[in-house]
Amino acid sequence: MATKYPQSVFLKVDINVCQETALAQGISSMPTFVFYKGGEKIDSITGSNTKLLEDKLKEHCSSEGSGEAESPVKGHIDLYPFILKAESGALNEADKHPLANCLQDDDKYLQSDCDNQLIIPITFSQAVKIHSIMIKAPDKAGPKTVKLFINQPTTLDFDGASKNEPTQSLDIDPNDLTSGKPIGLQFVKFQNVQNVQIFIQNNHDNSDVTRIDCLTLFGSPIATTDMNKFERVAGKKGETDH
């Protein structure tokens, strides 16, 4: 059974090669699974009990267990952890109000510079499915016409973004901006996304400055973890230490 744990990273360590690591972790038998959160060791189990491992993963990856806010889009998560921040920067962003300011919900914001248009290229660390987009912004200076392009080989310029056919075009209701309501996309078109470019064509009052307080993409990573494919290094099936 394939189970998704989108906010987790799985690392396999060969203790015959990394003996110092095994000693430091107090690992004496295999397989042993060690759980970390925020750089701190929080749990471990020994043995190839698949059901126990599943239960532990669900426990430590749940939103309640992590203390994170529940996603407003049922069945999907905020894709922020999968965004390559170093490769994210908007075209025509103001120097003091760059794209990074709007990728998390705080008192900072993204603002356009020379006119009201923006191109926001976002690259993901792995392929994802995008279900919804949420844009928090002032009702007048917030985006109105928004076009999304996926899996472009290079960053679009404003001429190309204006002329090319987008994956989807949105006409944003100002009420959705002020309420921060997630806007559903044509999910079938966003099933294998390596990158997305968001073209803000105009704003609601046609002023020279467009502002975005928070931009969030909701979806899920494509990669899954099949617990039945974990290699057994030693020990009998179902064996655990007590």
Side-chain angles (χ1 to χ4, degrees):
M1 178 181 65
T3 306
K4 293 181 181 179
Y5 299 99
Q7 300 184 50
S8 303
V9 176
F10 298 88
L11 299 177
K12 179 181 177 181
V13 178
D14 186 342
I15 65 170
N16 293 317
V17 176
C18 306
Q19 295 181 6
E20 291 183 0
T21 300
L23 182 63
Q25 295 297 320
I27 297 173
S28 59
S29 60
M30 293 296 292
T32 295
F33 300 90
V34 183
F35 299 82
Y36 285 84
K37 182 182 291 184
E40 298 291 331
K41 182 178 178 180
I42 58 172
D43 206 347
S44 66
I45 60 173
T46 301
S48 54
N49 186 324
T50 306
K51 178 63 168 59
L52 178 59
L53 182 56
E54 283 275 3
D55 290 343
K56 285 291 184 181
L57 285 168
K58 290 175 182 178
E59 174 187 346
H60 295 305
C61 294
S62 66
S63 58
E64 291 183 0
S66 64
E68 297 177 356
E70 184 178 353
S71 170
V73 181
K74 186 176 181 181
H76 298 277
I77 64 168
D78 180 353
L79 293 173
Y80 176 78
F82 302 96
I83 294 175
L84 295 177
K85 285 75 174 178
E87 299 182 19
S88 298
L91 274 65
N92 193 38
E93 64 182 16
D95 291 340
K96 294 183 179 179
H97 303 286
L99 172 61
N101 285 0
C102 77
L103 295 179
Q104 291 187 293
D105 197 358
D106 51 29
D107 58 353
K108 299 177 182 180
Y109 56 89
L110 166 65
Q111 184 172 291
S112 64
D113 188 17
C114 299
D115 54 35
N116 60 20
Q117 293 190 334
L118 286 161
I119 292 179
I120 302 173
I122 294 177
T123 301
F124 298 100
S125 59
Q126 65 182 83
V128 300
K129 300 178 181 181
I130 304 178
H131 179 274
S132 312
I133 184 171
M134 183 176 74
I135 302 174
K136 290 184 180 180
D139 56 352
K140 294 182 179 180
K144 181 181 179 182
T145 304
V146 176
K147 296 180 179 180
L148 292 90
F149 302 82
I150 67 168
N151 299 338
Q152 298 294 305
T154 59
T155 301
L156 294 167
D157 57 23
F158 287 98
D159 185 56
S162 299
K163 294 179 179 179
N164 294 349
E165 184 70 22
T167 307
Q168 186 172 351
S169 181
L170 302 171
D171 192 8
I172 308 294
D173 188 316
N175 292 325
D176 292 340
L177 296 175
T178 55
S179 66
K181 177 184 176 182
I183 301 167
L185 301 178
Q186 295 174 349
F187 194 32
V188 68
K189 293 184 177 182
F190 295 84
Q191 291 294 295
N192 189 356
V193 182
Q194 301 283 350
N195 65 71
V196 59
Q197 298 189 43
I198 304 169
F199 173 40
I200 310 299
Q201 187 167 335
N202 50 36
N203 57 27
H204 281 276
D205 62 359
N206 291 315
S207 63
D208 289 337
V209 175
T210 294
R211 170 171 163 168
I212 299 177
D213 296 334
C214 185
L215 171 66
T216 307
L217 296 168
F218 294 98
S220 58
I222 291 177
T224 61
T225 301
D226 189 342
M227 302 312 302
N228 291 322
K229 291 184 179 180
F230 271 91
E231 285 187 27
R232 289 198 333 108
V233 179
K236 299 178 181 179
K237 186 175 181 180
E239 177 183 67
T240 58
D241 286 349
H242 297 284

